[in-house]
Amino acid sequence: MSTDAIVLLKVDHKEIKAAFKQFQDAGDRAFSAKGKAREKIIELLTVHTYLENEVMYPEVRGLLPDLTDEILESYEEHHVADLLAVELAVLAPDAERFTAKTTVLIENVSHHIEEEEEDWFPKVRERLGRRQLAEIGERLLEAREKAPHSPAQPSALKKSIDAVLR
């Protein structure tokens, strides 16, 4: 398996989009299926945003400071996703706003993924060598071992607080 940071993050994106599709393909009254999809979405997003916030964004920002504005926007997009994930985590699948809130999360994250894959990743790939991307990928893999899987875990809460205070 590749340790290229961009390849690893694109694999995450693919899994996240599959979980979105699982939610979207569930019937309107398929509350159990939607609840299971929600759990998967929250877990995948919690891990992924942690990895990008704690490893990818700081590393790229240090190497390519001219991408700072894009990275700061990405931090904010993650913060919005984190807030929606926390709200969804405690919302019953048959609640009136459950589907609407999940749809907003899906739309926001899909837009974020599209921007990363079509604009930001190509800029990073063009300017960082294979070795640098592999080294960042190694750190992503190490961080994945300790990454939170729930927005209620302390490291996920710290990430949310950092988004407000930094």
Side-chain angles (χ1 to χ4, degrees):
M1 181 171 154
S2 174
T3 60
D4 179 294
I6 292 173
V7 170
L8 294 172
L9 294 174
K10 282 185 170 184
V11 168
D12 281 1
H13 288 172
K14 188 175 181 178
E15 291 175 4
I16 291 164
K17 290 189 280 189
F20 289 168
K21 184 166 178 16
Q22 182 183 7
F23 180 87
Q24 292 167 324
D25 288 348
D28 287 340
R29 309 220 22 101
F31 301 124
S32 178
K34 284 185 171 188
K36 287 177 184 165
R38 178 250 334 250
E39 296 305 319
K40 189 66 172 173
I41 289 167
I42 290 173
E43 178 181 1
L44 291 170
L45 287 177
T46 301
V47 170
H48 182 76
T49 60
Y50 176 86
L51 295 175
E52 286 189 336
N53 285 18
E54 298 297 317
V55 178
M56 187 68 172
Y57 295 162
E59 296 251 355
V60 172
R61 187 176 183 187
L63 294 167
L64 306 172
D66 60 304
L67 295 180
T68 293
D69 288 344
E70 291 171 70
I71 292 168
L72 292 175
E73 182 181 329
S74 292
Y75 278 127
E76 294 307 317
E77 289 172 345
H78 283 187
H79 181 61
V80 169
D82 290 342
L83 292 173
L84 287 168
V86 167
E87 292 175 12
L88 279 172
V90 298
L91 202 58
D94 61 348
E96 180 180 48
R97 297 176 123 184
F98 179 82
T99 297
K101 193 173 295 288
T102 307
T103 300
V104 169
L105 174 65
I106 290 170
E107 289 170 352
N108 278 286
V109 172
S110 294
H111 171 76
H112 173 77
I113 288 171
E114 183 178 313
E115 279 185 338
E116 277 191 342
E117 291 189 359
E118 293 180 11
D119 184 46
W120 196 71
F121 285 169
K123 288 177 185 176
V124 172
R125 179 164 305 288
E126 179 181 307
R127 296 176 54 203
L128 296 183
R130 279 190 181 133
R131 184 180 54 77
Q132 285 176 305
L133 287 170
E135 289 170 359
I136 295 169
E138 289 291 336
R139 286 188 281 285
L140 286 171
L141 291 171
E142 290 169 15
R144 187 178 295 278
E145 296 297 318
K146 63 180 181 179
H149 289 254
S150 159
Q153 286 180 261
S155 51
L157 293 171
K158 178 195 175 300
K159 178 174 62 83
S160 294
I161 292 167
D162 285 349
V164 175
L165 299 179
R166 283 189 187 172

